[in-house]
């Protein structure tokens, strides 16, 4: 017994908006595209021949809906890309296209909720949670990322240990 959430149709719609199709090279992980992002600097795109062919916020909003409803594997890269929605550079557009391409190539994945047995070790009312953090991974602010909710905390951690404690606190 289970319930499964699949957003394949919505992923295909967002892929069409971003002009992603079956001819795209395989993208192993949605994080590949968002590793080294930073704020756009003045003149950064001046010599680039790349011309974005879609509205950044529209495609980001579509993939954000998919990540929030059925694809938690996309939450962290989508969160990172959302930091640059005000003034995206060509690098941000290419990264967003990479995340959409990964979602499109893995559109058959679904979020499955299963019924658990009614025994002591599988209590259906037991809350399970996990968290992780990275220390000072935002190049613009020096803040850490907490991957439980994929957010930037309000304070700057001064060590890896402090970043982990912040993540555990937010998770709780």
């Amino acid at each position: 017994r289970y319930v499964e959430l699949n957003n394949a149709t919505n992923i295909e719609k967002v892929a069409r908006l971003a002009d992603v199709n079956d001819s795209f090279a395989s993208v192993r992980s949605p994080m590949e595209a968002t590793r080294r992002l930073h704020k756009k600097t003045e003149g950064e795109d001046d010599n680039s021949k790349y011309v974005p062919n879609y509205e950044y916020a529209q495609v980001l909003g579509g993939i954000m809906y998919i990540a929030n409803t059925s694809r938690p594997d996309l939450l962290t890269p989508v969160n990172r890309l959302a930091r640059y929605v005000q003034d995206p550079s060509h690098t941000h557009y290419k990264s967003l296209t990479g995340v959409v391409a990964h979602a499109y190539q893995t559109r058959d994945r679904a979020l499955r909720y299963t019924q658990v047995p009614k025994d002591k070790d599988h209590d259906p009312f037991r809350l399970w949670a996990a968290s992780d953090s990275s220390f000072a991974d935002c190049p613009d602010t020096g803040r850490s990322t907490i991957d439980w909710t994929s957010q930037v905390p309000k304070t700057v951690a001064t060590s890896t240990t402090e970043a982990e404690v912040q993540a555990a606190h937010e998770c709780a």
Side-chain angles (χ1 to χ4, degrees):
R1 296 179 173 175
Y2 63 89
V3 174
E4 200 169 78
L5 301 175
N6 183 315
N7 262 322
T9 304
N10 289 334
I11 290 171
E12 290 170 2
K13 287 180 184 177
V14 172
R16 276 194 301 276
L17 284 173
D19 212 16
V20 170
N21 53 43
D22 291 322
S23 67
F24 266 71
S26 178
V27 180
R28 292 181 188 206
S29 164
M31 286 299 293
E32 287 175 5
T34 62
R35 288 220 185 262
R36 304 273 187 234
L37 295 178
H38 58 81
K39 281 186 179 177
K40 182 179 177 180
T41 58
E42 189 175 325
E44 181 176 340
D45 294 333
D46 290 350
N47 297 327
S48 176
K49 294 178 182 170
Y50 175 75
V51 178
N53 61 344
Y54 60 85
E55 190 66 39
Y56 187 86
Q58 184 181 16
V59 171
L60 182 66
I63 203 73
M64 188 178 288
Y65 170 80
I66 292 162
N68 283 322
T69 57
S70 66
R71 293 293 300 271
D73 60 319
L74 302 176
L75 283 172
T76 298
V78 166
N79 174 271
R80 287 188 181 181
L81 290 166
R83 297 175 190 176
Y84 307 103
V85 74
Q86 291 294 337
D87 189 21
S89 70
H90 292 173
T91 302
H92 301 130
Y93 273 93
K94 290 176 185 178
S95 296
L96 179 56
T97 302
V99 172
V100 172
H102 174 76
Y104 182 75
Q105 291 163 1
T106 58
R107 62 190 176 275
D108 58 328
R109 291 184 183 171
L111 187 60
R112 180 183 284 191
Y113 295 98
T114 59
Q115 183 177 3
V116 295
K118 293 182 179 178
D119 63 24
K120 191 167 110 180
D121 293 328
H122 297 93
D123 182 4
F125 299 108
R126 180 176 224 162
L127 177 64
W128 293 89
S131 67
D132 191 17
S133 68
S134 58
F135 177 61
D137 69 331
C138 181
D140 299 319
T141 64
R143 292 184 179 174
S144 305
T145 299
I146 297 173
D147 279 339
W148 162 249
T149 58
S150 188
Q151 68 182 13
V152 175
K154 292 176 177 54
T155 58
V156 176
T158 57
S159 69
T160 302
T161 303
E162 187 177 346
E164 293 291 340
V165 169
Q166 283 180 351
H169 178 263
E170 291 295 321
C171 182

